Amino acid sequence: MRAIEINDGLILTDLPAPELKEGEVLVKVHATGVNRGDLLQAAGHYPPPPGASEIMGLECAGEIADPGDTGRAKGEQVACLLAGGGYAEYVAVPEGQLMSIPQGLSTTEAAAIVEVACTVHSNMQLAGLKAGDTLLIHGGAGGIGTFAIQYAKALGVTVAVTAGSQEKLQLCEELGADILINYKEEDFAEVMKNKCDVILDIMGAKYLEQNIKALAMDGHLVIIGMQGGVKGELNIGRLLTKRGSISATALRARDLADKARIVADTEKTVWPMIADGRVKHQLSTTVPLDQAAEAHRLLKEGEVTGKIVLTVA
Amino acid sequence: MRAIEINDGLILTDLPAPELKEGEVLVKVHATGVNRGDLLQAAGHYPPPPGASEIMGLECAGEIADPGDTGRAKGEQVACLLAGGGYAEYVAVPEGQLMSIPQGLSTTEAAAIVEVACTVHSNMQLAGLKAGDTLLIHGGAGGIGTFAIQYAKALGVTVAVTAGSQEKLQLCEELGADILINYKEEDFAEVMKNKCDVILDIMGAKYLEQNIKALAMDGHLVIIGMQGGVKGELNIGRLLTKRGSISATALRARDLADKARIVADTEKTVWPMIADGRVKHQLSTTVPLDQAAEAHRLLKEGEVTGKIVLTVA
């Protein structure tokens, strides 16, 4: 099968199709989402968990080419959460990581929403986000942000976002964001001081001190990215005064049972929000699989709003 | 009424008895527990929350002298969680912070267990501690530690403790601790590396890095004291690899509804553990109220295991 290999760049090559293990189906990939984790893996910083495919690609949509021992129907269209392997014509997927295609979406659009939906929903559940809360989302115009704004508004949450340009903030506003902060012009910690019940953070160390300042009483900071560094000073005294919590999470290394639980719960909660229009896909750009390097360049440069998807079949 | 005032030392003085607000009862104090928060308040570092008594004392037991508008019976024996005011003959207590005297305990023994029981139970609930987990308790021989060991064993948890002497570790072992670590001789982070589902910490900054190392996957560090400093370096990368969480909490500043919920839940969960002998009080020393300064000295020097209680009436 055709697949992208990391070999002094991203090279389209011919590889053997994956062999199915117990409880897995073979999916013929129509489209696969591009995530920051793929950039990290291409740079050698994010090795796949033990037993996972060495190929990049954390989500895809397509059709079942071989149902293995699962009793699924050949040809069934599915969206898939992957531990890896999406940048290829075929991928082996544990049955617990299969979702239906959300009503009204194409497979290409579906491939843009699996990872963000599972990531945002599982983390907001961890943080106990609920109607009436105030949520701060960093990078509101990115793949995670554009989804998280709509998801939180559907839950009845007040949403604040940070972004680096007026254009990006305008997109956030169109998606429903209530409070718009240009981080190049304002200190978000001052604007949101003691106000945030939950913060969804992709910056890590660089924002740690400001995020703690922005937390409300019993607030919860959830860190899912470290674009601003790994090590930061934590003021435990300030955290204690607020009875605050910090969690740092990632989806990829979770075990099969944990992923199956998250996938089922995300489908149950988020897919209806898509079906009735409260949450719209944020697919912004499609790029053919053989131009994966160009897709990575677009994401790295940070000028894309929403998601980039590689089209395969 | 007689009460202890902070005035260039701890001085027994005469103060007006407190006036009751709506929903409060007046309790005639028999005994009041001594906590590290009292030491901090005496040193000027832990002011009472707005509206609370200026007098020290975070827990007591005694009898209802005036039921106010609550419909309680005059003379009823009660144990009380306080925002302050225990170092006195009388204290006003919101009804939601009244508990029964645990079966088999004297009022003096009950005054030694309210704060630790509410603190440990509420924090272990926050951390999701459950049977089969491994819990690391720092300061295993102290007031919090001696209670937490027994509480966790009653839940079916594997308990590791740190302490600074063989004698203290032996007490921890007698209370049920499974893994004994003398922090002067061993690095607890090496002994417990990647093993702790929950850590109950009183050291703050000094132990932050080691605590993160000791966390297991999905582990939760709960910080309830900062005897080792306020600001520490947090390795977010390591926390994320483990999908770890950190919470820092305190009981005193919680609002009335929150305290009432914790008090009711603690009585329901912990009092039966005391009644059937799974958890024993750890009252080690009683000191008359007028010698409060001596009680503080004993706690500060750190040579006491278990709890110190001031006897009032």
Coordinates of all heavy atoms in Angstrom, one line a residue, chain B residues 94-135:
Chain B
P94 N -22.2 27.1 62.5 CA -23.3 26.9 61.5 C -23.8 25.4 61.7 O -22.9 24.5 61.8 CB -22.6 27.1 60.2 CG -21.4 28.0 60.5 CD -20.9 27.6 61.8
E95 N -25.1 25.2 61.6 CA -25.6 23.9 61.9 C -25.0 22.8 60.9 O -24.8 21.7 61.3 CB -27.1 23.9 61.7 CG -27.7 22.6 62.3 CD -29.2 22.5 62.1 OE1 -29.8 23.4 61.4 OE2 -29.8 21.5 62.6
G96 N -24.7 23.2 59.7 CA -24.1 22.3 58.7 C -22.7 21.8 59.1 O -22.2 20.8 58.5
Q97 N -22.1 22.4 60.1 CA -20.8 22.0 60.5 C -20.8 21.2 61.8 O -19.8 20.9 62.5 CB -19.9 23.2 60.6 CG -19.5 23.6 59.2 CD -19.0 25.1 59.1 OE1 -19.5 25.9 58.3 NE2 -18.0 25.4 59.9
L98 N -22.0 20.8 62.3 CA -22.1 19.9 63.4 C -22.1 18.4 63.0 O -22.8 18.1 62.1 CB -23.5 20.2 64.2 CG -23.7 21.6 64.7 CD1 -25.1 21.7 65.3 CD2 -22.6 22.0 65.7
M99 N -21.4 17.7 63.8 CA -21.4 16.2 63.6 C -21.8 15.6 64.9 O -21.6 16.2 66.0 CB -20.0 15.7 63.2 CG -19.5 16.5 62.0 SD -17.7 16.2 61.8 CE -17.7 15.0 60.5
S100 N -22.2 14.3 64.9 CA -22.4 13.6 66.2 C -21.0 13.2 66.7 O -20.0 13.3 66.0 CB -23.2 12.3 65.9 OG -22.5 11.5 65.0
I101 N -20.9 12.9 68.0 CA -19.7 12.4 68.6 C -19.5 10.9 68.1 O -20.5 10.1 68.2 CB -19.7 12.4 70.1 CG1 -20.0 13.8 70.6 CG2 -18.4 11.8 70.7 CD1 -18.9 14.8 70.5
P102 N -18.4 10.6 67.4 CA -18.3 9.2 66.9 C -18.4 8.2 68.1 O -18.0 8.4 69.2 CB -16.9 9.2 66.4 CG -16.5 10.6 66.1 CD -17.2 11.4 67.1
Q103 N -19.1 7.1 67.8 CA -19.4 6.1 68.8 C -18.1 5.6 69.4 O -17.2 5.2 68.8 CB -20.1 4.9 68.1 CG -20.8 3.9 69.0 CD -21.4 2.8 68.1 OE1 -22.0 3.0 67.1 NE2 -21.2 1.6 68.6
G104 N -18.1 5.6 70.8 CA -17.0 5.1 71.5 C -15.9 6.1 71.9 O -15.0 5.8 72.6
L105 N -16.1 7.4 71.4 CA -15.1 8.4 71.6 C -15.6 9.4 72.7 O -16.8 9.7 72.8 CB -14.7 9.2 70.4 CG -14.1 8.5 69.2 CD1 -13.4 9.6 68.3 CD2 -13.0 7.5 69.6
S106 N -14.7 9.9 73.5 CA -15.0 11.0 74.4 C -15.0 12.3 73.6 O -14.6 12.3 72.5 CB -14.0 11.1 75.5 OG -12.7 11.5 74.9
T107 N -15.6 13.3 74.2 CA -15.5 14.6 73.5 C -14.1 15.1 73.3 O -13.8 15.6 72.2 CB -16.3 15.7 74.3 OG1 -15.9 15.7 75.6 CG2 -17.8 15.5 74.2
T108 N -13.2 14.8 74.2 CA -11.8 15.2 74.0 C -11.2 14.4 72.8 O -10.5 15.0 72.0 CB -11.0 14.8 75.3 OG1 -11.6 15.3 76.4 CG2 -9.6 15.4 75.2
E109 N -11.5 13.1 72.7 CA -11.0 12.3 71.6 C -11.6 12.8 70.2 O -11.0 12.9 69.2 CB -11.3 10.8 71.8 CG -10.4 10.2 72.9 CD -11.0 9.0 73.5 OE1 -12.2 8.6 73.2 OE2 -10.3 8.3 74.3
A110 N -12.9 13.2 70.3 CA -13.6 13.6 69.1 C -13.0 14.9 68.6 O -12.9 15.1 67.4 CB -15.1 13.8 69.4
A111 N -12.6 15.8 69.5 CA -12.0 17.1 69.1 C -10.7 16.9 68.4 O -10.2 17.8 67.7 CB -11.8 18.0 70.3
A112 N -10.1 15.7 68.5 CA -8.9 15.4 67.8 C -9.0 14.9 66.4 O -8.1 14.6 65.7 CB -8.1 14.4 68.6
I113 N -10.3 14.6 66.0 CA -10.4 13.9 64.7 C -11.3 14.6 63.6 O -11.2 14.2 62.5 CB -11.0 12.5 65.0 CG1 -10.6 11.5 64.0 CG2 -12.6 12.5 65.1 CD1 -10.6 10.0 64.5
V114 N -12.0 15.7 64.0 CA -12.9 16.3 63.1 C -12.1 16.9 61.9 O -12.4 16.6 60.7 CB -13.6 17.5 63.7 CG1 -14.4 18.3 62.7 CG2 -14.6 16.9 64.8
E115 N -11.1 17.7 62.1 CA -10.4 18.4 61.0 C -9.6 17.4 60.1 O -9.7 17.5 58.9 CB -9.3 19.4 61.6 CG -9.6 20.8 61.3 CD -9.0 21.1 59.9 OE1 -8.0 20.5 59.5 OE2 -9.6 22.1 59.3
V116 N -8.9 16.4 60.7 CA -8.2 15.5 59.9 C -9.2 14.6 59.1 O -8.9 14.3 57.9 CB -7.3 14.5 60.7 CG1 -6.1 15.3 61.3 CG2 -8.0 13.8 61.8
A117 N -10.3 14.2 59.7 CA -11.3 13.4 59.0 C -11.8 14.1 57.8 O -11.9 13.6 56.7 CB -12.4 12.9 59.9
C118 N -12.3 15.4 58.0 CA -12.9 16.2 56.9 C -11.8 16.5 55.8 O -12.1 16.4 54.6 CB -13.5 17.5 57.4 SG -15.0 17.2 58.4
T119 N -10.6 16.8 56.3 CA -9.5 17.1 55.3 C -9.2 15.9 54.5 O -9.1 16.0 53.3 CB -8.3 17.6 56.1 OG1 -8.6 18.8 56.7 CG2 -7.1 17.9 55.1
V120 N -8.9 14.8 55.1 CA -8.4 13.6 54.4 C -9.5 13.0 53.5 O -9.3 12.8 52.3 CB -7.9 12.5 55.4 CG1 -7.6 11.2 54.7 CG2 -6.6 13.0 56.1
H121 N -10.7 12.9 54.1 CA -11.8 12.3 53.3 C -12.1 13.2 52.0 O -12.3 12.7 50.9 CB -13.1 12.1 54.1 CG -14.2 11.6 53.4 ND1 -14.2 10.4 52.8 CD2 -15.5 12.1 53.1 CE1 -15.3 10.1 52.2 NE2 -16.1 11.2 52.4
S122 N -12.2 14.5 52.2 CA -12.6 15.4 51.1 C -11.5 15.3 50.0 O -11.8 15.3 48.8 CB -12.9 16.8 51.6 OG -11.8 17.4 52.2
N123 N -10.3 15.3 50.4 CA -9.2 15.3 49.5 C -9.0 13.9 48.8 O -8.7 13.9 47.6 CB -7.9 15.7 50.1 CG -7.8 17.2 50.3 OD1 -7.7 17.9 49.3 ND2 -7.8 17.7 51.5
M124 N -9.3 12.9 49.5 CA -9.1 11.6 48.9 C -10.3 11.3 47.9 O -10.2 10.7 46.9 CB -9.0 10.5 49.9 CG -7.7 10.5 50.7 SD -6.2 10.4 49.7 CE -5.8 12.2 49.5
Q125 N -11.5 11.9 48.2 CA -12.6 11.9 47.2 C -12.2 12.7 46.0 O -12.5 12.2 44.9 CB -13.8 12.5 47.9 CG -14.6 11.5 48.7 CD -16.1 11.9 48.8 OE1 -16.4 13.1 49.0 NE2 -17.0 11.0 48.6
L126 N -11.6 13.9 46.2 CA -11.2 14.7 45.0 C -10.3 13.9 44.1 O -10.3 14.0 42.9 CB -10.5 16.0 45.6 CG -9.9 16.9 44.5 CD1 -10.9 17.6 43.7 CD2 -9.0 17.9 45.2
A127 N -9.4 13.1 44.8 CA -8.3 12.4 44.0 C -8.9 11.1 43.5 O -8.2 10.4 42.8 CB -7.1 12.1 44.9
G128 N -10.1 10.7 43.9 CA -10.7 9.4 43.4 C -10.0 8.2 44.0 O -10.0 7.1 43.4
L129 N -9.5 8.3 45.2 CA -8.8 7.1 45.8 C -9.8 5.9 46.0 O -10.9 6.1 46.5 CB -8.3 7.5 47.2 CG -7.5 6.4 47.9 CD1 -6.1 6.2 47.3 CD2 -7.3 6.7 49.4
K130 N -9.4 4.7 45.6 CA -10.2 3.6 45.6 C -9.5 2.3 46.0 O -8.2 2.3 45.9 CB -11.0 3.4 44.3 CG -10.1 3.2 43.2 CD -10.8 3.2 41.8 CE -9.9 2.8 40.7 NZ -8.6 3.5 40.7
A131 N -10.2 1.3 46.4 CA -9.6 0.0 46.7 C -8.6 -0.5 45.6 O -8.9 -0.3 44.4 CB -10.7 -1.1 46.9
G132 N -7.4 -1.0 46.0 CA -6.5 -1.5 45.0 C -5.4 -0.4 44.7 O -4.4 -0.7 44.1
D133 N -5.7 0.9 45.0 CA -4.8 1.9 44.7 C -3.6 1.9 45.6 O -3.7 1.3 46.7 CB -5.5 3.3 44.8 CG -6.3 3.7 43.6 OD1 -6.3 3.0 42.6 OD2 -7.0 4.8 43.7
T134 N -2.5 2.6 45.2 CA -1.4 2.9 46.1 C -1.4 4.3 46.5 O -1.4 5.2 45.6 CB -0.1 2.4 45.4 OG1 -0.1 1.0 45.2 CG2 1.1 2.8 46.3
L135 N -1.3 4.6 47.8 CA -1.3 6.0 48.3 C 0.0 6.2 49.0 O 0.4 5.4 49.9 CB -2.5 6.2 49.3 CG -2.5 7.5 50.1 CD1 -2.7 8.7 49.3 CD2 -3.6 7.4 51.2

